[in-house]
Amino acid sequence: MQRNRFLAGLLAAVLALSLTMPVLADPIGDGNIDGGGGSGDGGGGMGEGSKQNYWNNEDGCRITVLKNGQKVYQMDWSNKPEAASVRRSFVPRNKLDYLHGTSLNIIVNQYTSTVLPKEREIPTIVGGAGGNNIDAIRRYFTEENCIRAIAGGIGVPYEDLIGGEYKLLLEPIAYFVFKGVKWAMTATEAAMYDVQIEGQLRAWMKSLTHQNLPLSMFLEKSDAELHLDKWSGAKSGKQTNADIIRYLGMGIVSFKAAPPPVTPGEYDYEFHTDTDVIISFQLSSNKEIAPDDNAYAVMSVGGKTYRKSFICPEGGSQLVWMQWHTPSTPQTLTATAFGGDSSVTLRINVTELEENIPPDPTYNDRNNGFTLPEVPDYGSNLSTTWGEWYAEEFFGVWKWKYVTYGASLVIHDSSLNPDQRCKTSYRMGNGQTTMKSGYAVEISVDPMVQHGSGVSSYDVTQIQNAVATFPEFGYEEYNRLLEKTDVRRWAFKKSPFSYYSNRIHYTPIWYPDNMDYTVPVRVLDAWTPGGQLYTTVNKSLYIFDDVINDRYIHVTN
């Protein structure tokens, strides 16, 4: 206890120095704080008129510093030296502790709080009939001076505290006399104690312990990381013990991590805009996390948060993943996950897959210096595997089994054919089709992602993009994006140069005879927890002669 008093004194000294700095207008943290209250009750609601039960408008705040959801420090702030007069309190806990099953334990003459300097007193949190100023409270706990004071008091560098891994859990405290003894209680403690003493606290102090104190702070929005829910009930009136314990008497200050500077080639994932993708994280735990622990992994990207049940063998690692739809505009961002005793940050680059449509070829086009370029290989990854741990209980012991999954990319069919308006093409003895230059070609690719048992549609995506390049441009500069024309078949988009809006690409009239005309199609953006499935499909025609020699004049007598 001497150590606690020493730490409280040390923190008070830090506060006296740091909180006297000029107030900055811009908030540093994000305050998830709303409030209500405002009792108008007469005698008895707050112990008025009783020498044994009363409240003199004394309040404070319990601040719990959390890192990745785990408590690293807890302290009480007050405007007055409450430790000198408080005789009863509880072993210092927070709402998360109580929600996770920690019991309520009374302590005597052991309460400590950090007394704030006069110029930096906390705004009234637990208001009387007039309520409180929730905007002032939110501003106080999110401004830089307050955050710096907390960082200095607990020995955490300020930049680390606001770096995105930490949160502040705030719980209003009321200091009041009950049955002739002065107490310090949060709303959660008051509700739990009232259950223990069968409603006696509510009978004497209901407007304080069951209205103004619990409704002085509650969440505007749910916090998925901490599994704490927003309050959607009334902002005034007496509340039940169950609702107070679950929803009321708390606020959260969180900090948004600034994305780290990233240079090209340093991304963990390269995605295209407006695409369904799978993001995977490898999390670990030094201790066993079994199914009955009801643990979760929390994954976040692009302002969205996902939760997934998390188990892990002792000293092992577990793969977790989420399906996400990328933004419609290019950007860089980070994806984070934490579970067990580990956290992972991934760097993501979202780019646009741009189409650069080739110009419409004309009769006068020439390229006498053309040489046949090498057909590019855009790479291929036709299969991926991944796995996760499962646990089964046998006679009170968990047995672990690693299950492997897989997915593969199969091209069922592909073709490059002359446009249906070309009537002079023919098939040679070797099976290759010959066509005259100047006619158009049409392409078809039929890819499919297959997977085994235990894999759902949430775990994989089908092919979402296909891109073709052309030999007359050296397979550079210009390209055509394909699109799905039925359940699986991909073809050219409708040509802007086709009178009939056909799905075609015109070959140049100058293309040399006796040469292959090969069109590679890059098929991509099928995502799995094991990575991306993609491949290159090459299809060819043989060019001989040109469309000019198909022209003729029919002469009649």
Side-chain angles (χ1 to χ4, degrees):
M1 188 49 57
Q2 288 181 342
R3 178 179 180 272
N4 290 340
R5 293 183 184 276
F6 170 75
L7 289 174
L10 178 61
L11 180 57
V14 174
L15 286 166
L17 291 174
S18 59
L19 289 179
T20 54
M21 297 165 59
V23 177
L24 298 182
D26 295 332
I28 299 300
D30 175 23
N32 183 4
I33 306 169
D34 201 354
S39 170
D41 286 4
M46 296 194 195
E48 295 93 334
S50 169
K51 295 182 180 180
Q52 296 295 307
N53 306 286
Y54 59 89
W55 177 56
N56 286 333
N57 299 309
E58 296 175 57
D59 62 357
C61 188
R62 179 160 298 164
I63 303 172
T64 303
V65 182
L66 304 163
K67 182 178 182 181
N68 295 326
Q70 302 298 314
K71 179 170 67 176
V72 296
Y73 199 92
Q74 182 174 297
M75 55 193 164
D76 290 1
W77 282 10
S78 62
N79 292 333
K80 298 179 180 180
E82 302 292 351
S85 57
V86 169
R87 294 293 173 258
R88 299 287 189 274
S89 59
F90 303 96
V91 173
R93 306 290 186 192
N94 60 65
K95 182 178 282 285
L96 288 173
D97 294 328
Y98 293 126
L99 289 176
H100 293 162
T102 300
S103 60
L104 197 66
N105 296 302
I106 297 174
I107 54 177
V108 179
N109 294 332
Q110 297 182 48
Y111 181 74
T112 62
S113 69
T114 299
V115 183
L116 302 175
K118 185 69 176 178
E119 62 276 6
R120 286 301 301 169
E121 287 186 348
I122 305 173
T124 297
I125 299 177
V126 185
N132 59 15
N133 185 339
I134 199 65
D135 291 331
I137 295 168
R138 185 186 301 110
R139 185 166 56 249
Y140 179 91
F141 284 106
T142 57
E143 68 177 9
E144 181 177 350
N145 288 336
C146 179
I147 306 305
R148 285 191 179 276
I150 294 172
I154 65 176
V156 174
Y158 171 73
E159 296 299 333
D160 289 352
L161 186 61
I162 66 171
E165 292 184 316
Y166 288 87
K167 289 185 177 181
L168 308 179
L169 176 62
L170 310 177
E171 296 179 77
I173 302 170
Y175 303 101
F176 60 95
V177 174
F178 177 60
K179 292 188 176 182
V181 177
K182 189 169 184 179
W183 289 77
M185 295 188 194
T186 66
T188 305
E189 290 169 340
M192 293 179 68
Y193 187 52
D194 189 56
V195 172
Q196 285 187 6
I197 60 176
E198 300 179 343
Q200 296 179 51
L201 192 58
R202 184 184 179 98
W204 282 101
M205 309 295 297
K206 58 187 176 184
S207 291
L208 173 63
T209 59
H210 288 72
Q211 177 167 321
N212 288 5
L213 175 59
L215 289 174
S216 64
M217 270 193 200
F218 48 80
L219 300 186
E220 292 182 295
K221 55 190 176 183
S222 297
D223 190 298
E225 177 189 0
L226 302 179
H227 312 312
L228 295 175
D229 298 323
K230 68 178 182 180
W231 173 241
S232 301
K235 293 188 177 183
S236 62
K238 311 304 182 291
Q239 306 302 319
T240 66
N241 287 324
D243 281 346
I244 294 171
I245 293 169
R246 185 71 187 90
Y247 299 103
L248 298 172
M250 63 172 168
I252 296 172
V253 177
S254 58
F255 307 96
K256 185 177 181 180
V262 181
T263 57
E266 292 185 351
Y267 299 104
D268 297 290
Y269 280 108
E270 297 267 1
F271 294 139
H272 292 122
T273 55
D274 203 23
T275 304
D276 290 324
V277 299
I278 306 293
I279 305 176
S280 299
F281 306 86
Q282 195 80 39
L283 298 175
S284 61
S285 178
N286 290 322
K287 65 178 183 179
E288 180 182 79
I289 302 178
D292 60 357
D293 290 322
N294 297 318
Y296 288 89
V298 179
M299 300 167 280
S300 300
V301 63
K304 294 185 177 181
T305 300
Y306 306 78
R307 279 201 315 165
K308 183 178 182 179
S309 295
F310 183 74
I311 62 174
C312 188
E314 181 180 358
S317 62
Q318 179 78 298
L319 188 73
V320 296
W321 59 90
M322 62 183 181
Q323 188 173 119
W324 177 57
H325 192 81
T326 61
S328 58
T329 56
Q331 56 193 270
T332 60
L333 63 164
T334 59
T336 61
F338 64 88
D341 50 21
S342 66
S343 61
V344 175
T345 299
L346 301 177
R347 298 156 298 179
I348 295 175
N349 189 29
V350 179
T351 61
E352 184 174 2
L353 187 59
E354 297 182 358
E355 181 176 34
N356 192 9
I357 299 175
D360 187 20
T362 68
Y363 171 80
N364 295 319
D365 289 345
R366 294 292 183 271
N367 189 357
N368 296 328
F370 176 79
T371 57
L372 190 65
E374 183 179 353
V375 180
D377 181 3
Y378 296 113
S380 182
N381 186 35
L382 295 174
S383 64
T384 60
T385 60
W386 66 96
E388 60 183 340
W389 287 100
Y390 282 86
E392 295 182 358
E393 190 174 17
F394 293 95
F395 303 104
V397 178
W398 290 100
K399 299 295 184 182
W400 293 88
K401 178 182 179 182
Y402 189 78
V403 179
T404 301
Y405 307 108
S408 60
L409 173 60
V410 177
I411 304 298
H412 283 283
D413 187 31
S414 60
S415 62
L416 179 69
N417 294 314
D419 174 29
Q420 58 184 348
R421 295 188 172 275
C422 175
K423 305 300 182 182
T424 57
S425 62
Y426 59 93
R427 190 175 295 274
M428 296 188 295
N430 63 1
Q432 189 174 29
T433 298
T434 298
M435 183 189 80
K436 295 180 180 180
S437 62
Y439 281 110
V441 295
E442 54 187 24
I443 200 162
S444 174
V445 181
D446 184 4
M448 182 178 182
V449 175
Q450 299 177 333
H451 55 78
S453 61
V455 179
S456 71
S457 58
Y458 181 83
D459 301 326
V460 299
T461 73
Q462 292 293 328
I463 289 295
Q464 297 171 84
N465 282 302
V467 188
T469 54
F470 306 97
E472 63 266 38
F473 305 109
Y475 300 110
E476 299 176 350
E477 188 175 1
Y478 297 104
N479 64 54
R480 292 285 302 279
L481 296 185
L482 281 62
E483 64 181 2
K484 290 179 74 171
T485 57
D486 57 30
V487 177
R488 289 204 312 253
R489 180 177 177 269
W490 290 73
F492 288 131
K493 294 181 179 181
K494 293 179 179 180
S495 171
F497 310 121
S498 169
Y499 181 81
Y500 299 97
S501 297
N502 290 337
R503 299 178 179 279
I504 56 175
H505 168 75
Y506 285 102
T507 61
I509 198 169
W510 54 259
Y511 199 85
D513 291 346
N514 301 311
M515 281 192 179
D516 283 334
Y517 187 85
T518 302
V519 177
V521 177
R522 184 162 52 112
V523 179
L524 69 161
D525 283 330
W527 289 94
T528 78
Q532 183 187 185
L533 295 169
Y534 58 93
T535 193
T536 305
V537 179
N538 295 325
K539 304 304 294 185
S540 299
L541 291 170
Y542 192 73
I543 298 295
F544 183 78
D545 208 351
D546 59 54
V547 69
I548 296 175
N549 291 323
D550 277 355
R551 294 185 177 184
Y552 64 92
I553 300 175
H554 182 68
V555 179
T556 59
N557 292 327

